[in-house]
Amino acid sequence: CVCDENNSVSDKIKEFSKCNYFITKKLYEVVENRFGPVENGKINFSAKKGKAVLVSGSELSDLEKILESAKGTGVNIYTHSELSSAFKYKKLNSYPELAGHFQNYKNDFRMEFASFPGPVYISGNSVPKIDVIRGRIFTSAKYPEFGISKIENDDFSPLIKFALDSDGFKEDIFKQEINTGYTCSDIDDKISEIVDLYNSGKIKHIFILCLIDFFGDKNDYLTKFLNS
């Protein structure tokens, strides 16, 4: 942008923020119409004994297709990364095959994929750069990296077959749960509350922390920040 008295950086940032808000809200509405409504619930980090598939990335539509493919097979489906959002949508959360969210505190794809006892599916637009490639990683990406199996024409039967031939979880594993299912209106109400507190002087500083990669009680990110 061109910085002058009538077009400051601050104004551009505000303009962009408004555009981003309305675009994000519209996208949210489209997704909610497809998979919703949004409900209060919990993201389960436990694992069930049995065969398993890990679905990573951001494509809820891919997750839905895999859940449909797993019907009647006894294969449990686990989400990873951004797909933790699946647990707030009524349609996706109604699948008994959706067993939980598999993630160990930080997005270390190599370690998490290696420790999962079954095949891994990665959305076509979300394939990470990993230096360990095995035949049990699948994707719908148009040009997958060497060693990654390609899913063609939404046929997920090879993924399910691989899961049935894999070890799966040998026993139940019990871990924490976290709440999910906040709607746009819930978030708007909370933001308005914070803004009012800030304008009244009851809040002096606001810090926005990107915590997607830093959740869990084994990470001291917040402790270091609060003590600094």
PDB file of all heavy atoms in Angstrom, residues 133-153:
ATOM      1  N   ILE A 133       9.406 -40.908   4.337  1.00  0.00           N
ATOM      2  CA  ILE A 133       8.233 -41.263   3.553  1.00  0.00           C
ATOM      3  C   ILE A 133       8.056 -42.771   3.583  1.00  0.00           C
ATOM      4  O   ILE A 133       8.977 -43.526   3.320  1.00  0.00           O
ATOM      5  CB  ILE A 133       8.370 -40.798   2.087  1.00  0.00           C
ATOM      6  CG1 ILE A 133       8.653 -39.293   2.021  1.00  0.00           C
ATOM      7  CG2 ILE A 133       7.136 -41.141   1.290  1.00  0.00           C
ATOM      8  CD1 ILE A 133       7.543 -38.437   2.547  1.00  0.00           C
ATOM      9  N   ARG A 134       6.824 -43.191   3.885  1.00  0.00           N
ATOM     10  CA  ARG A 134       6.531 -44.626   3.890  1.00  0.00           C
ATOM     11  C   ARG A 134       5.301 -44.872   3.034  1.00  0.00           C
ATOM     12  O   ARG A 134       4.503 -43.971   2.791  1.00  0.00           O
ATOM     13  CB  ARG A 134       6.259 -45.109   5.328  1.00  0.00           C
ATOM     14  CG  ARG A 134       7.484 -45.083   6.220  1.00  0.00           C
ATOM     15  CD  ARG A 134       7.097 -45.316   7.663  1.00  0.00           C
ATOM     16  NE  ARG A 134       6.261 -44.232   8.151  1.00  0.00           N
ATOM     17  CZ  ARG A 134       6.742 -43.062   8.548  1.00  0.00           C
ATOM     18  NH1 ARG A 134       8.033 -42.834   8.534  1.00  0.00           N
ATOM     19  NH2 ARG A 134       5.928 -42.120   8.964  1.00  0.00           N
ATOM     20  N   GLY A 135       5.120 -46.090   2.593  1.00  0.00           N
ATOM     21  CA  GLY A 135       4.002 -46.435   1.737  1.00  0.00           C
ATOM     22  C   GLY A 135       2.663 -46.324   2.423  1.00  0.00           C
ATOM     23  O   GLY A 135       1.630 -46.365   1.751  1.00  0.00           O
ATOM     24  N   ARG A 136       2.637 -46.169   3.732  1.00  0.00           N
ATOM     25  CA  ARG A 136       1.352 -46.099   4.430  1.00  0.00           C
ATOM     26  C   ARG A 136       0.816 -44.679   4.546  1.00  0.00           C
ATOM     27  O   ARG A 136      -0.150 -44.430   5.246  1.00  0.00           O
ATOM     28  CB  ARG A 136       1.454 -46.736   5.819  1.00  0.00           C
ATOM     29  CG  ARG A 136       2.339 -46.033   6.813  1.00  0.00           C
ATOM     30  CD  ARG A 136       2.460 -46.885   8.077  1.00  0.00           C
ATOM     31  NE  ARG A 136       3.235 -46.233   9.117  1.00  0.00           N
ATOM     32  CZ  ARG A 136       2.699 -45.494  10.082  1.00  0.00           C
ATOM     33  NH1 ARG A 136       1.406 -45.301  10.106  1.00  0.00           N
ATOM     34  NH2 ARG A 136       3.464 -44.956  11.005  1.00  0.00           N
ATOM     35  N   ILE A 137       1.425 -43.729   3.857  1.00  0.00           N
ATOM     36  CA  ILE A 137       0.900 -42.372   3.803  1.00  0.00           C
ATOM     37  C   ILE A 137       0.168 -42.194   2.473  1.00  0.00           C
ATOM     38  O   ILE A 137       0.704 -42.478   1.409  1.00  0.00           O
ATOM     39  CB  ILE A 137       2.021 -41.331   3.943  1.00  0.00           C
ATOM     40  CG1 ILE A 137       2.712 -41.486   5.295  1.00  0.00           C
ATOM     41  CG2 ILE A 137       1.453 -39.925   3.795  1.00  0.00           C
ATOM     42  CD1 ILE A 137       3.819 -40.493   5.547  1.00  0.00           C
ATOM     43  N   PHE A 138      -1.082 -41.725   2.557  1.00  0.00           N
ATOM     44  CA  PHE A 138      -1.940 -41.563   1.381  1.00  0.00           C
ATOM     45  C   PHE A 138      -2.315 -40.094   1.217  1.00  0.00           C
ATOM     46  O   PHE A 138      -2.346 -39.337   2.188  1.00  0.00           O
ATOM     47  CB  PHE A 138      -3.222 -42.391   1.535  1.00  0.00           C
ATOM     48  CG  PHE A 138      -3.006 -43.881   1.541  1.00  0.00           C
ATOM     49  CD1 PHE A 138      -2.481 -44.518   2.658  1.00  0.00           C
ATOM     50  CD2 PHE A 138      -3.339 -44.650   0.438  1.00  0.00           C
ATOM     51  CE1 PHE A 138      -2.292 -45.894   2.673  1.00  0.00           C
ATOM     52  CE2 PHE A 138      -3.167 -46.024   0.441  1.00  0.00           C
ATOM     53  CZ  PHE A 138      -2.639 -46.650   1.562  1.00  0.00           C
ATOM     54  N   THR A 139      -2.638 -39.696   0.000  1.00  0.00           N
ATOM     55  CA  THR A 139      -3.098 -38.340  -0.257  1.00  0.00           C
ATOM     56  C   THR A 139      -3.896 -38.302  -1.554  1.00  0.00           C
ATOM     57  O   THR A 139      -3.777 -39.200  -2.396  1.00  0.00           O
ATOM     58  CB  THR A 139      -1.922 -37.350  -0.350  1.00  0.00           C
ATOM     59  OG1 THR A 139      -2.434 -36.017  -0.470  1.00  0.00           O
ATOM     60  CG2 THR A 139      -1.048 -37.649  -1.568  1.00  0.00           C
ATOM     61  N   SER A 140      -4.692 -37.259  -1.704  1.00  0.00           N
ATOM     62  CA  SER A 140      -5.408 -37.030  -2.958  1.00  0.00           C
ATOM     63  C   SER A 140      -4.728 -35.938  -3.775  1.00  0.00           C
ATOM     64  O   SER A 140      -5.276 -35.477  -4.775  1.00  0.00           O
ATOM     65  CB  SER A 140      -6.862 -36.630  -2.671  1.00  0.00           C
ATOM     66  OG  SER A 140      -6.888 -35.461  -1.867  1.00  0.00           O
ATOM     67  N   ALA A 141      -3.537 -35.515  -3.343  1.00  0.00           N
ATOM     68  CA  ALA A 141      -2.800 -34.489  -4.072  1.00  0.00           C
ATOM     69  C   ALA A 141      -2.568 -34.937  -5.512  1.00  0.00           C
ATOM     70  O   ALA A 141      -2.324 -36.114  -5.784  1.00  0.00           O
ATOM     71  CB  ALA A 141      -1.467 -34.200  -3.383  1.00  0.00           C
ATOM     72  N   LYS A 142      -2.634 -33.986  -6.418  1.00  0.00           N
ATOM     73  CA  LYS A 142      -2.505 -34.309  -7.843  1.00  0.00           C
ATOM     74  C   LYS A 142      -1.150 -34.921  -8.148  1.00  0.00           C
ATOM     75  O   LYS A 142      -1.034 -35.883  -8.920  1.00  0.00           O
ATOM     76  CB  LYS A 142      -2.718 -33.050  -8.684  1.00  0.00           C
ATOM     77  CG  LYS A 142      -2.830 -33.322 -10.178  1.00  0.00           C
ATOM     78  CD  LYS A 142      -3.255 -32.078 -10.932  1.00  0.00           C
ATOM     79  CE  LYS A 142      -3.442 -32.384 -12.415  1.00  0.00           C
ATOM     80  NZ  LYS A 142      -3.874 -31.170 -13.165  1.00  0.00           N
ATOM     81  N   TYR A 143      -0.103 -34.357  -7.540  1.00  0.00           N
ATOM     82  CA  TYR A 143       1.250 -34.873  -7.770  1.00  0.00           C
ATOM     83  C   TYR A 143       1.917 -35.152  -6.424  1.00  0.00           C
ATOM     84  O   TYR A 143       2.677 -34.329  -5.915  1.00  0.00           O
ATOM     85  CB  TYR A 143       2.084 -33.874  -8.577  1.00  0.00           C
ATOM     86  CG  TYR A 143       1.487 -33.539  -9.925  1.00  0.00           C
ATOM     87  CD1 TYR A 143       0.919 -32.287 -10.170  1.00  0.00           C
ATOM     88  CD2 TYR A 143       1.477 -34.471 -10.954  1.00  0.00           C
ATOM     89  CE1 TYR A 143       0.362 -31.979 -11.397  1.00  0.00           C
ATOM     90  CE2 TYR A 143       0.923 -34.174 -12.191  1.00  0.00           C
ATOM     91  CZ  TYR A 143       0.367 -32.926 -12.402  1.00  0.00           C
ATOM     92  OH  TYR A 143      -0.180 -32.622 -13.622  1.00  0.00           O
ATOM     93  N   PRO A 144       1.620 -36.300  -5.831  1.00  0.00           N
ATOM     94  CA  PRO A 144       2.203 -36.614  -4.516  1.00  0.00           C
ATOM     95  C   PRO A 144       3.701 -36.852  -4.605  1.00  0.00           C
ATOM     96  O   PRO A 144       4.226 -37.235  -5.650  1.00  0.00           O
ATOM     97  CB  PRO A 144       1.465 -37.890  -4.107  1.00  0.00           C
ATOM     98  CG  PRO A 144       1.053 -38.518  -5.396  1.00  0.00           C
ATOM     99  CD  PRO A 144       0.758 -37.378  -6.323  1.00  0.00           C
ATOM    100  N   GLU A 145       4.380 -36.616  -3.492  1.00  0.00           N
ATOM    101  CA  GLU A 145       5.808 -36.875  -3.438  1.00  0.00           C
ATOM    102  C   GLU A 145       6.064 -38.371  -3.539  1.00  0.00           C
ATOM    103  O   GLU A 145       5.197 -39.204  -3.282  1.00  0.00           O
ATOM    104  CB  GLU A 145       6.398 -36.331  -2.137  1.00  0.00           C
ATOM    105  CG  GLU A 145       6.338 -34.812  -2.027  1.00  0.00           C
ATOM    106  CD  GLU A 145       7.064 -34.316  -0.791  1.00  0.00           C
ATOM    107  OE1 GLU A 145       8.119 -34.888  -0.454  1.00  0.00           O
ATOM    108  OE2 GLU A 145       6.576 -33.366  -0.169  1.00  0.00           O
ATOM    109  N   PHE A 146       7.281 -38.698  -3.900  1.00  0.00           N
ATOM    110  CA  PHE A 146       7.660 -40.104  -4.050  1.00  0.00           C
ATOM    111  C   PHE A 146       7.433 -40.861  -2.740  1.00  0.00           C
ATOM    112  O   PHE A 146       7.810 -40.400  -1.676  1.00  0.00           O
ATOM    113  CB  PHE A 146       9.137 -40.213  -4.450  1.00  0.00           C
ATOM    114  CG  PHE A 146       9.620 -41.627  -4.563  1.00  0.00           C
ATOM    115  CD1 PHE A 146       9.308 -42.398  -5.670  1.00  0.00           C
ATOM    116  CD2 PHE A 146      10.365 -42.208  -3.548  1.00  0.00           C
ATOM    117  CE1 PHE A 146       9.741 -43.703  -5.783  1.00  0.00           C
ATOM    118  CE2 PHE A 146      10.803 -43.518  -3.642  1.00  0.00           C
ATOM    119  CZ  PHE A 146      10.491 -44.262  -4.765  1.00  0.00           C
ATOM    120  N   GLY A 147       6.794 -42.020  -2.838  1.00  0.00           N
ATOM    121  CA  GLY A 147       6.562 -42.847  -1.658  1.00  0.00           C
ATOM    122  C   GLY A 147       5.204 -42.661  -1.028  1.00  0.00           C
ATOM    123  O   GLY A 147       4.822 -43.433  -0.150  1.00  0.00           O
ATOM    124  N   ILE A 148       4.465 -41.623  -1.445  1.00  0.00           N
ATOM    125  CA  ILE A 148       3.124 -41.396  -0.921  1.00  0.00           C
ATOM    126  C   ILE A 148       2.106 -41.991  -1.891  1.00  0.00           C
ATOM    127  O   ILE A 148       2.152 -41.736  -3.092  1.00  0.00           O
ATOM    128  CB  ILE A 148       2.842 -39.895  -0.723  1.00  0.00           C
ATOM    129  CG1 ILE A 148       3.793 -39.318   0.329  1.00  0.00           C
ATOM    130  CG2 ILE A 148       1.404 -39.667  -0.295  1.00  0.00           C
ATOM    131  CD1 ILE A 148       3.554 -37.852   0.641  1.00  0.00           C
ATOM    132  N   SER A 149       1.200 -42.805  -1.372  1.00  0.00           N
ATOM    133  CA  SER A 149       0.192 -43.467  -2.209  1.00  0.00           C
ATOM    134  C   SER A 149      -0.913 -42.480  -2.576  1.00  0.00           C
ATOM    135  O   SER A 149      -1.390 -41.734  -1.725  1.00  0.00           O
ATOM    136  CB  SER A 149      -0.407 -44.661  -1.464  1.00  0.00           C
ATOM    137  OG  SER A 149       0.609 -45.599  -1.138  1.00  0.00           O
ATOM    138  N   LYS A 150      -1.327 -42.491  -3.829  1.00  0.00           N
ATOM    139  CA  LYS A 150      -2.324 -41.539  -4.316  1.00  0.00           C
ATOM    140  C   LYS A 150      -3.717 -42.156  -4.299  1.00  0.00           C
ATOM    141  O   LYS A 150      -3.918 -43.285  -4.744  1.00  0.00           O
ATOM    142  CB  LYS A 150      -1.981 -41.102  -5.746  1.00  0.00           C
ATOM    143  CG  LYS A 150      -2.960 -40.076  -6.331  1.00  0.00           C
ATOM    144  CD  LYS A 150      -2.462 -39.561  -7.660  1.00  0.00           C
ATOM    145  CE  LYS A 150      -3.506 -38.702  -8.366  1.00  0.00           C
ATOM    146  NZ  LYS A 150      -3.956 -37.565  -7.566  1.00  0.00           N
ATOM    147  N   ILE A 151      -4.668 -41.407  -3.756  1.00  0.00           N
ATOM    148  CA  ILE A 151      -6.075 -41.789  -3.780  1.00  0.00           C
ATOM    149  C   ILE A 151      -6.697 -41.254  -5.071  1.00  0.00           C
ATOM    150  O   ILE A 151      -6.614 -40.060  -5.365  1.00  0.00           O
ATOM    151  CB  ILE A 151      -6.832 -41.214  -2.568  1.00  0.00           C
ATOM    152  CG1 ILE A 151      -6.316 -41.841  -1.268  1.00  0.00           C
ATOM    153  CG2 ILE A 151      -8.334 -41.421  -2.694  1.00  0.00           C
ATOM    154  CD1 ILE A 151      -6.588 -43.319  -1.130  1.00  0.00           C
ATOM    155  N   GLU A 152      -7.304 -42.139  -5.841  1.00  0.00           N
ATOM    156  CA  GLU A 152      -7.900 -41.752  -7.119  1.00  0.00           C
ATOM    157  C   GLU A 152      -9.424 -41.807  -7.037  1.00  0.00           C
ATOM    158  O   GLU A 152     -10.006 -42.737  -6.478  1.00  0.00           O
ATOM    159  CB  GLU A 152      -7.432 -42.705  -8.231  1.00  0.00           C
ATOM    160  CG  GLU A 152      -5.913 -42.756  -8.423  1.00  0.00           C
ATOM    161  CD  GLU A 152      -5.416 -41.670  -9.360  1.00  0.00           C
ATOM    162  OE1 GLU A 152      -6.227 -40.789  -9.734  1.00  0.00           O
ATOM    163  OE2 GLU A 152      -4.226 -41.701  -9.717  1.00  0.00           O
ATOM    164  N   ASN A 153     -10.074 -40.782  -7.610  1.00  0.00           N
ATOM    165  CA  ASN A 153     -11.528 -40.771  -7.787  1.00  0.00           C
ATOM    166  C   ASN A 153     -12.293 -41.014  -6.482  1.00  0.00           C
ATOM    167  O   ASN A 153     -13.331 -41.694  -6.467  1.00  0.00           O
ATOM    168  CB  ASN A 153     -11.939 -41.823  -8.826  1.00  0.00           C
ATOM    169  CG  ASN A 153     -11.268 -41.601 -10.168  1.00  0.00           C
ATOM    170  OD1 ASN A 153     -11.176 -40.468 -10.642  1.00  0.00           O
ATOM    171  ND2 ASN A 153     -10.775 -42.682 -10.767  1.00  0.00           N
TER     172      ASN A 153
END
